[in-house]
Amino acid sequence: MNIRWNAAGVTDVGRLRRQDEDAFLVDEENGLFAVADGVGGSRAGDVASRLAVDTAERVLREARGDSSSDAAAVIRRMFETAHRAILERAAGDPLVSEMATTLVLLLCDGTRAWIAHAGDSRVYRWRDASLERLSRDHSFAEELQKAAGVEVRAKSPFGHVLTRCLGREGAWEPEIREIDLRPGDRFLLCCDGLTDMVDEGDLSALLALGVSPEETGRRLIDSANAAGGKDNITAVVVDFSA
């Protein structure tokens, strides 16, 4: 059975920020979808996030000509190449010397797909009227939550400190996972500007409405802005059908 996809991405600066430092990718031809969130507090986060998604797309297009390419290996190359590109761009330029970004992506091929991420941008799957979070945040808050057994992100001063991201020396390696696809699946890739403002119950309700990916993305952003819009907000919604 062949599975088709239909997707859209939407981004918004939010209510408090002056500049949008998020970037997204919707490449339906190659089945690649991504969201990158320039790390808060660093200079040129918008440059880092755009480099991340553009590099991922370029690496995939180059790999499509090699039938022996392994999907997981290609994905790792996307992240590594993007990480190196950000470091090289930052070298010697004080205006962008501290730039970094998260990256989350979904790569589709027939009835299979791979998700990968570094940082706290997330991927969710809405299937059979149920929302499932498929990624775990690479952050101190996530580690604290695992250790304490309670939600600590909103309360902790380390809530948005990342344990992995692209553009910083140290941990950048993606967490990669292969998953199945079914007709009727709906995926959401998003930054923390959405998930900090809209809880998972409301995310599920908005994804369940059945409107187009673009309209769903706009409603998600409207909901985050209505809740305060404290950060940039980006959502990519991907629908799958037979």
Side-chain angles (χ1 to χ4, degrees):
M1 175 179 61
N2 292 324
I3 292 183
R4 299 180 296 176
W5 43 80
N6 176 41
V10 185
T11 189
D12 188 83
V13 70
R15 293 284 179 86
L16 302 182
R17 298 295 178 91
R18 294 184 177 181
Q19 179 171 307
D20 192 345
E21 296 193 339
D22 293 351
F24 69 84
L25 171 67
V26 173
D27 182 352
E28 292 185 311
E29 178 184 355
N30 289 289
L32 178 62
F33 311 95
V35 168
D37 177 0
V39 174
S42 67
R43 294 179 177 179
D46 58 325
V47 178
S49 62
R50 177 48 57 187
L51 263 175
V53 297
D54 287 351
T55 301
E57 183 177 33
R58 175 175 58 81
V59 169
L60 179 61
R61 288 181 179 272
E62 291 171 352
R64 285 302 194 200
D66 181 2
S67 60
S68 65
S69 294
D70 173 77
V74 171
I75 289 171
R76 192 180 192 284
R77 197 183 316 149
M78 292 179 194
F79 279 77
E80 182 173 14
T81 305
H83 174 64
R84 299 301 173 195
I86 294 167
L87 289 177
E88 290 172 8
R89 174 69 178 82
D93 186 345
L95 294 178
V96 298
S97 61
E98 296 181 356
M99 68 178 182
T101 186
T102 70
L103 178 62
V104 59
L105 62 81
L106 169 69
L107 177 62
C108 309
D109 182 13
T111 59
R112 300 180 302 163
W114 293 262
I115 56 173
H117 75 294
D120 60 358
S121 295
R122 296 180 180 176
V123 55
Y124 290 90
R125 178 173 60 197
W126 192 84
R127 171 185 284 178
D128 297 334
S130 178
L131 184 70
E132 181 182 6
R133 178 177 158 191
L134 300 180
S135 60
R136 65 181 187 91
D137 294 347
H138 296 142
S139 67
F140 280 116
E142 188 87 359
E143 298 303 320
L144 288 169
Q145 182 176 337
K146 287 168 59 180
V150 295
E151 179 65 46
V152 298
R153 180 170 184 161
K155 300 177 183 179
S156 169
F158 305 107
H160 291 277
V161 176
L162 301 180
T163 56
R164 298 190 207 181
C165 63
L166 305 184
R168 297 272 172 84
E169 294 291 356
W172 60 266
E173 295 86 353
E175 191 169 335
I176 303 172
R177 176 180 170 189
E178 183 176 352
I179 57 174
D180 69 308
L181 292 175
R182 299 180 192 171
D185 282 350
R186 167 168 274 193
F187 281 73
L188 168 66
L189 286 73
C190 60
C191 65
D192 61 356
L194 177 63
T195 54
D196 281 351
M197 295 289 99
V198 183
D199 65 31
E200 292 186 353
D202 288 335
L203 290 179
S204 182
L206 288 165
L207 292 170
L209 292 175
V211 296
S212 70
E214 182 174 4
E215 179 61 23
T216 300
R218 294 193 183 282
R219 293 189 186 198
L220 289 165
I221 284 177
D222 288 346
S223 184
N225 275 325
K230 295 181 179 180
D231 200 351
N232 305 148
I233 313 156
T234 301
V236 170
V237 179
V238 190
D239 286 349
F240 294 89
S241 60

